[in-house]
Amino acid sequence: MYLTLQNCAALANGNMALYLLIGSPVKSKATRSTKPLAACEFKLNLKKGRAKVGISCKEVPHAKGYTVWYGKGDFDRKTWTSQSGSPTQVITAIPGEYLNFIMIAYKGNGEEGAEANMQGCNVPFS
């Protein structure tokens, strides 16, 4: 069946009306999601070495990238530091310092998803 469809498509040679006559469904164009992005379910990894904290999450559908925010106390974009990248990132900080982390997914247009629950840890010495 697949070979027959492939041959018919080749015969149609870009003529959509002719291709539609073979009765095979045509893949529609991709549509952008207008729904807000879900919160990242992230976890911290303290086995990345001295002064390093690994942060990773499952990929969020329709996300273009991920921003990790980290700092002391309650989440505040003015005082916390951020880093953007993939769903797996590593933060370097002062060993022994207690930091809180939040990971937020964002779309290609910059629209951010929901904030995940904050997690905290002491930055490892070794």
Side-chain angles (χ1 to χ4, degrees):
M1 177 71 176
Y2 174 74
L3 190 56
T4 303
L5 287 174
Q6 190 176 21
N7 289 336
C8 290
L11 289 172
N13 194 25
N15 183 335
M16 183 61 88
L18 182 58
Y19 181 75
L20 290 174
L21 290 174
I22 67 173
S24 175
V26 177
K27 192 173 188 178
S28 63
K29 291 182 180 179
T31 57
R32 296 200 183 271
S33 173
T34 57
K35 295 180 181 179
L37 295 175
C40 298
E41 296 178 27
F42 71 97
K43 60 183 176 180
L44 302 177
N45 180 350
L46 302 179
K47 297 182 180 181
K48 293 291 183 180
R50 178 177 172 78
K52 297 186 185 301
V53 177
I55 300 156
S56 61
C57 74
K58 295 178 183 177
E59 290 194 28
V60 175
H62 309 290
K64 177 75 172 175
Y66 302 83
T67 302
V68 174
W69 288 90
Y70 58 100
K72 296 180 181 181
D74 292 331
F75 179 48
D76 183 0
R77 291 175 189 258
K78 293 177 185 173
T79 59
W80 281 31
T81 305
S82 69
Q83 159 179 315
S84 295
S86 70
T88 303
Q89 300 183 40
V90 176
I91 301 297
T92 303
I94 299 168
E97 185 174 43
Y98 188 86
L99 294 176
N100 290 318
F101 297 87
I102 291 180
M103 190 173 217
I104 302 172
Y106 60 86
K107 292 183 178 182
N109 63 4
E111 180 185 335
E112 290 185 336
E115 292 177 12
N117 290 333
M118 184 169 37
Q119 297 182 37
C121 70
N122 286 317
V123 178
F125 280 103
S126 58

